[in-house]
Structure formats: structure tokens, C-alpha cells
Amino acid sequence: MDGCDDMATRPAKASTPAKASTPAPAAAPRPRALRVAAAVLAVEAVGMGVAAGFAAVSTADGQSYQRASGIALTLIAVGTAVVFALFARGVAKARPWTRTPVVMTQLAIGVWAIYLLRDHRLGWGVPMLLAAACCLVALFTPASLRALNRPPVQP
């Protein structure tokens, strides 16, 4: 057989025009305020991790009202720490889905902080209130709002 028969049995390749390689647009740097909010959320995640450790130690020492409630409290604190860490990561990456849950969480932390302040527990209430206020202020700066906005949907 000659080389022509071999060419006839192969399927023809479609020719595709060479695409000009255009560089991808560089990602805009994250606003400083978003980095501040992410750092505050990370600190809150660490704080919840520490609280989970205290709850675990108290449960293990038998200081909990019931063992089951101590275990549940520990698991809730661990889960909350994980959620705060996910929020911190999402805010650091300017993910739009993070804005609403983070704002609602900070408002709840602010309410709990005011409750602690009314009960004269300044050691816990003041840092919580400051953290919540810093995070909310950082999230509501114009640069942060622009970074967290979703692009408009094209019909």
C-alpha cells in the first residue's frame, strides 16, 4: 500500500484558526478594609476555638450540668469557629456570599457584647463590641462594598 491509502482512512482534522493569546485581566487587589474584616473574623474564629477548648476541659472535668450538654456546647463552639474561619476566608477572597451572614453575625455579637456590658463583664463585652464594630465598619466602606458586589446579570 502506498501512503495515500493511509491518509484516506484517517478522519480529516478540522482546522481551527489560531486564537491570539490575550492576557487575562489582572485581579484587582483586595481593599485594605476587607483584609481588616477578614483578620477580625479570623480572631473571632480563634476565640471560638479557645472557648471550645474551655468547654471541652470543663466537660471532661465534670463541671458541666450534664455531660451531654457539655459535649453539645463544645461541638457548637467548634462548629462556630469553623464557620467563622470560612467567613474570614470568603471575605479575604471578596466572595459576595459572605456579606450578609457576616453582617448578621456581627450584629448578633454586638448584641451579646451589650448584654455582657450590662452585666458588668467588661473583660468580654468590650473586646466583642470592638471586634464587631471594626468588622462592620470595614465591611461597609465603599471599597469593600464594591468588591463584594455581584456583577450585574446580563440577559
Side-chain angles (χ1 to χ4, degrees), residues 7-108:
M7 295 289 279
T9 58
R10 287 189 211 158
K13 290 184 181 178
S15 64
T16 57
K19 293 182 180 177
S21 105
T22 57
R30 303 289 181 254
R32 182 176 178 198
L34 272 186
R35 293 192 305 265
V36 168
V40 170
L41 285 163
V43 167
E44 290 174 346
V46 169
M48 283 305 298
V50 169
F54 282 132
V57 169
S58 293
T59 302
D61 286 345
Q63 306 247 343
S64 179
Y65 176 67
Q66 289 183 346
R67 189 180 261 332
S69 65
I71 292 170
L73 182 62
T74 301
L75 292 176
I76 289 169
V78 168
T80 304
V82 169
V83 169
F84 283 180
L86 291 173
F87 286 166
R89 184 176 178 201
V91 168
K93 292 185 175 190
R95 302 286 189 235
W97 65 267
T98 59
R99 182 175 41 203
T100 300
V102 168
V103 168
M104 298 306 291
T105 301
Q106 297 310 310
L107 290 175

Side-chain angles (χ1 to χ4, degrees), residues 84-151:
F84 283 180
L86 291 173
F87 286 166
R89 184 176 178 201
V91 168
K93 292 185 175 190
R95 302 286 189 235
W97 65 267
T98 59
R99 182 175 41 203
T100 300
V102 168
V103 168
M104 298 306 291
T105 301
Q106 297 310 310
L107 290 175
I109 289 172
V111 168
W112 291 324
I114 291 169
Y115 175 77
L116 288 172
L117 290 173
R118 286 183 50 199
D119 202 24
H120 303 291
R121 295 185 182 180
L122 300 177
W124 291 103
V126 171
M128 286 175 62
L129 192 58
L130 288 175
C134 287
C135 190
L136 286 173
V137 167
L139 282 176
F140 286 122
T141 61
S144 294
L145 289 174
R146 278 191 301 275
L148 291 174
N149 276 343
R150 288 188 176 98

